[in-house]
Amino acid sequence: MKITYVTHSLLSCWNHGNAHFLRGVLRSLQARGHAVTVLEPHGSWSLRNLLDDHGEPALQPFQAAYPSLRSTRFAEQDLPALIDGADLVIVHEWTEPSVVAAIGAWRRHAGFKLLFHDTHHRAVSEPDAMRRYDLAAYDGVLAFGATLAAVYRAWGWGERVYVWHEAADVQLFHPPSEPTLRQGAVWIGNWGDGERSAELEEFLLAPMRANRLDLDIYGVRYPSEALALLDRYGARYHGWLANALAPAVFARHLLTVHVPRRPYAASLPGIPTIRVFEALACGIPLVSAPWSDSEHLFTPGEDFLTAADGEAMRRQLQRLAGDAGLRASLSEHGRRTILARHTCDHRAAELLAIAQGLGAPGLGAPGLDAPGLDAPGLDAPGLDAPGLGSPVRG
């Protein structure tokens, strides 16, 4: 099958977390024998910021980790020719509304199946902005959690919305092959536009200082007041980290922490940051600030520890830092859960099953055997259901 993915950027993960999952799942699709084309706009905001900050050498970690992946940069008028011949087209939500609408218009005159991929909280935090997207010609929506899927169902998508969680690329994210000296704690994440400022102080900075744990922080978009806060707590700030280098950073530290953004914890429970998948895949013990694992993706207490407030986080970090056996147990159990349920190979198989259910060319009719549809646990209801309800309109 020929698959085209339209993304904000494949090349840059600067404040663009979808690039993590996209790279892994596309590589898995390639390994299953599918032809993959990636389109990203000229002058994407993420890539521009990455190059302004770090120059062309910043692209090398991605290129070294994913030598089979390439992207073509497009202007809107180029898209018909670039998409021509595709069997399945997926458009990410961080795409200009005009491009989303134009691809939908071309879909009416072409044979490909068309999906919209939403990996953000704007459907609940900025619903009017999301309604600017004209999805009338789209065959379905890929939502990265059940609570987000429920929003689209309430908007009239019925069973044409499919839960498609993020996952870890275990070819890249895995424990080090040799034992390493692990010291202190690490947190990899962006400041978050004020969406978790108080939470980072309560669940990360203050408990780390209380336990006298050295703390390394990686990420971008830290304003001056955030940097001053890190300095006040004695955290070491390192700036942007290429996602391909994150496993080596995890390997140097005893533990890490998950601090979800407020919109996810409050309005979209059940959706963790992709860093949870990646950290557990690397076998680094993790303590999570409050979030509701409403979809039972993990087993809290066995895959990772939880903390209801800052004081509980302090105690959990103290316990974890002092107990090598506990760290080893969490590391083993968390990685086993990822390998069993949450790899990019699992998600590739889920996507192919969805595409087959939609009747995408190149995969055969629904219900017939198709290559690469061998992963259990597919959470994609209504694969053979007709389109129900009215899609989102601008």
Side-chain angles (χ1 to χ4, degrees):
M1 184 167 67
K2 295 180 180 179
I3 302 168
T4 297
Y5 194 104
V6 181
T7 179
H8 178 75
S9 183
L10 176 75
L11 299 176
S12 175
C13 61
W14 195 101
N15 200 62
H16 178 37
N18 179 248
H20 305 191
F21 174 62
L22 176 60
R23 294 164 178 176
V25 78
L26 293 183
R27 174 157 63 183
S28 292
L29 289 165
Q30 286 180 328
R32 291 168 176 266
H34 300 281
V36 169
T37 298
V38 182
L39 306 179
E40 61 179 272
H42 285 291
S44 69
W45 177 84
S46 176
L47 182 59
R48 184 172 66 249
N49 278 279
L50 177 63
L51 296 178
D52 286 348
D53 284 357
H54 302 283
E56 291 286 340
L59 300 177
Q60 293 174 359
F62 156 67
Q63 293 165 339
Y66 295 93
S68 68
L69 292 183
R70 296 287 185 272
S71 66
T72 298
R73 299 184 211 182
F74 69 85
E76 188 172 327
Q77 64 269 20
D78 302 329
L79 282 170
L82 294 173
I83 292 175
D84 185 48
D87 299 313
L88 175 67
V89 177
I90 305 170
V91 182
H92 186 247
E93 57 86 18
W94 205 1
T95 300
E96 287 296 323
S98 62
V99 173
V100 172
I103 295 174
W106 299 321
R107 156 70 176 82
R108 298 180 190 277
H109 309 289
F112 61 81
K113 297 299 179 179
L114 181 57
L115 296 170
F116 185 70
H117 186 198
D118 195 341
T119 62
H120 203 266
H121 58 66
R122 288 192 298 158
V124 293
S125 61
E126 301 178 57
D128 290 340
M130 291 307 294
R131 288 182 179 276
R132 293 172 54 207
Y133 289 97
D134 180 1
L135 305 181
Y138 282 63
D139 294 291
V141 172
L142 302 170
F144 78 145
T147 50
L148 181 59
V151 173
Y152 278 93
R153 291 190 180 109
W155 285 351
W157 280 85
E159 296 195 13
R160 291 181 295 152
V161 56
Y162 308 96
V163 177
W164 198 42
H165 285 288
E166 295 181 313
D169 178 3
V170 294
Q171 290 192 52
L172 177 63
F173 285 86
H174 53 76
S177 56
E178 299 292 337
T180 59
L181 177 63
R182 293 178 178 264
Q183 296 179 313
V186 63
W187 191 73
I188 305 174
N190 305 324
W191 181 248
D193 300 317
E195 293 173 351
R196 57 181 167 199
S197 305
E199 290 85 349
L200 286 173
E201 186 170 11
E202 179 182 3
F203 290 98
L204 180 68
L205 298 173
M208 292 293 180
R209 185 174 68 177
N211 282 294
R212 298 182 180 179
L213 279 168
D214 290 337
L215 174 61
D216 293 300
I217 291 181
Y218 295 82
V220 299
R221 303 190 74 193
Y222 283 68
S224 57
E225 60 269 24
L227 296 176
L229 184 66
L230 300 191
D231 187 63
R232 200 156 64 241
Y233 278 96
R236 297 184 294 241
Y237 177 62
H238 301 276
W240 174 75
L241 176 71
N243 192 51
L245 302 181
V249 171
F250 282 141
R252 297 197 297 267
H253 293 85
L254 280 178
L255 57 91
T256 190
V257 171
H258 172 227
V259 184
R261 294 174 186 247
R262 200 171 305 125
Y264 294 122
S267 302
L268 290 174
I271 302 177
T273 172
I274 194 171
R275 290 295 183 191
V276 173
F277 297 107
E278 294 175 343
L280 297 186
C282 286
I284 183 171
L286 180 147
V287 187
S288 179
W291 72 286
S292 173
D293 185 11
S294 58
E295 296 184 62
H296 308 292
L297 302 176
F298 305 104
T299 305
E302 297 185 35
D303 291 326
F304 53 79
L305 301 180
T306 61
D309 54 34
E311 174 57 24
M313 178 65 79
R314 183 197 65 77
R315 294 194 303 268
Q316 292 286 48
L317 291 175
Q318 181 183 49
R319 177 186 172 207
L320 192 55
D323 189 337
L326 176 60
R327 294 196 303 272
S329 175
L330 291 171
S331 174
E332 179 183 353
H333 202 284
R335 177 160 168 79
R336 189 163 63 242
T337 295
I338 295 296
L339 293 176
R341 303 176 58 193
H342 303 307
T343 72
C344 286
D345 284 339
H346 288 95
R347 302 300 183 256
E350 291 169 10
L351 177 65
L352 292 172
I354 292 168
Q356 186 186 37
L358 292 171
L363 282 179
L368 299 180
D369 291 338
L373 305 184
D374 56 3
L378 175 65
D379 186 3
L383 291 182
D384 56 355
L388 302 177
S390 302
V392 181
R393 298 180 187 274

